[in-house]
Amino acid sequence: MKMLSGVVGLLATAPLAFGASLQRVSDFGSNPTRINMYIYVPDKVATNPAIIVAMHPCGGSGTSFFSQTRLPSYADSNGFILIYPDTPNMSRCWDVQNAATLTHNGGGDAAAIISMVNHTLAKYTADPARVYMMGSSSGAMMTNALAGSYPDVFEAGAAYSGIAFACASGQGQATPMAPNQTCAQGQIRRTPKEWGDFVRNAYPGYTGKRPRMQIYHGLADTLVRPACAMQALQQWSDVLGLPWSRNATGTPSAAYTQVVYGDGTKLEGFFGQGVGHTAPVNEQLMLKFFGILK
Ligand SMILES: *[C@@H]1O[C@H](CO)[C@@H](O)[C@H](O)[C@H]1NC(C)=O
Ligand SMILES: *[C@@H]1O[C@H](CO)[C@@H](O)[C@H](O)[C@H]1NC(C)=O
Ligand SMILES: *[C@@H]1O[C@H](CO)[C@@H](O)[C@H](O)[C@H]1NC(C)=O
Ligand SMILES: *[C@@H]1O[C@H](CO)[C@@H](O)[C@H](O)[C@H]1NC(C)=O
């Protein structure tokens, strides 16, 4: 009898032990480039949860990126929802060179990702004022792209080893194999105002809030040069109207220089000495910047 109740107890707790998992969503709305959507909804999802869109690097996937950061365990403890877009196209790189993606409501991978956000906002009554994004390498490039094309959708973004909005436009493909690497090699020269104009022209007439941005890059990155991150910072500095205020060292570790704009709550960069491609994801620093962690 005692043994039997033990077995019953085990069965009763079994569903909890297995818990939430990453799920494929096949019908999420308009999807002009036919990319894929995965979602992670934690067991203890918050009321009106925040959403974080997490974008994989070239050659990656939604499912692999799910296991490459500690964001899922932070979702478990904080109740936010994670969207993992997944592209099968262009060597599994995001189309950040595509004029459609670089235009508000223009189409491209960007529009498909906005469909995923819309679907999630509606289905889970998520908080439209707390939609965030992050990405690594090509995913970081897409983070900057979405910040420019859809400033109305995202509250903040974090880009690890990416490029400025529109840096790769005019390039055939934005992949490490493409013959044209002038953007990734940091060779595109523009003034901060010119970088900012690309963003303003992506959504003409828009006067609302712009996403707050956190930019991470390795100073030993030869695939996507650190100059690309400086260009992104100059771009957002111009768009957000925030002047460079100071540099600091020691956050998140002794190897890093923190480049602060304004009071640092809307724009900051982290450059790691000896850090290559890609800069490691710092979940804590990022979630604090987003306002999800105190
Ligand atoms: C992306 O890949 C999917 C699946 O192979 C394909 O149906 C779609 O046409 C591709 N989209 C683009 C823009 O190449
Ligand atoms: C997403 O939702 C917004 C607000 O309802 C709407 O304006 C926009 O057209 C939608 N975009 C897509 C791609 O579904
Ligand atoms: C190479 O790509 C850049 C954008 O990254 C573009 O401005 C330039 O015109 C391209 N060069 C050639 C030769 O296509
Ligand atoms: C701040 O840090 C950036 C990135 O390392 C560097 O380019 C810039 O020169 C620094 N500025 C000062 C005043 O130290």
Side-chain angles (χ1 to χ4, degrees), residues 31 33-38 55-63 84-95 109 113 116 138-139 142:
N31 183 9
T33 50
R34 302 177 62 85
I35 60 174
N36 308 314
M37 173 180 183
Y38 292 85
M55 290 169 282
H56 65 72
C58 278
S61 67
T63 48
Y84 285 88
D86 169 287
T87 177
N89 306 317
M90 214 174 70
S91 310
R92 307 191 70 87
C93 302
W94 302 103
D95 68 350
D109 291 343
I113 292 170
M116 298 178 196
S138 181
M142 197 58 176

Side-chain angles (χ1 to χ4, degrees), residues 55-245:
M55 290 169 282
H56 65 72
C58 278
S61 67
T63 48
S64 61
F65 203 45
F66 178 72
S67 58
Q68 281 163 10
T69 77
R70 289 181 293 151
L71 282 174
S73 74
Y74 279 101
D76 288 338
S77 47
N78 291 272
F80 59 82
I81 292 176
L82 282 160
I83 298 174
Y84 285 88
D86 169 287
T87 177
N89 306 317
M90 214 174 70
S91 310
R92 307 191 70 87
C93 302
W94 302 103
D95 68 350
V96 296
Q97 84 297 339
N98 183 355
T101 272
L102 299 170
T103 304
H104 182 71
N105 286 344
D109 291 343
I113 292 170
I114 299 305
S115 297
M116 298 178 196
V117 171
N118 280 1
H119 169 86
T120 306
L121 284 169
K123 179 156 182 193
Y124 300 96
T125 334
D127 184 354
R130 289 187 302 139
V131 179
Y132 307 96
M133 61 184 156
M134 61 81 66
S136 182
S137 193
S138 181
M141 300 178 186
M142 197 58 176
T143 300
N144 282 308
L146 287 165
S149 310
Y150 297 92
D152 51 334
V153 173
F154 297 97
E155 209 280 315
Y160 296 85
S161 313
I163 57 172
F165 178 93
C167 180
S169 81
Q171 204 177 290
Q173 293 202 323
T175 73
M177 292 71 77
N180 185 345
Q181 295 293 326
T182 52
C183 166
Q185 287 300 306
Q187 290 158 349
I188 310 258
R189 300 269 173 253
R190 312 223 186 261
T191 66
K193 162 131 191 342
E194 286 168 341
W195 283 119
D197 284 344
F198 283 113
V199 169
R200 285 179 286 270
N201 293 338
Y203 190 174
Y206 179 75
T207 55
K209 264 179 77 170
R210 299 274 178 179
R212 301 181 293 112
M213 295 296 287
Q214 206 181 35
I215 306 287
Y216 296 79
H217 218 101
L219 289 169
D221 190 338
T222 55
L223 189 67
V224 181
R225 299 275 174 183
C228 298
M230 273 321 300
Q231 291 163 356
L233 285 170
Q234 286 166 7
Q235 179 168 58
W236 299 121
S237 162
D238 182 70
V239 168
L240 294 166
L242 292 172
W244 172 75
S245 55

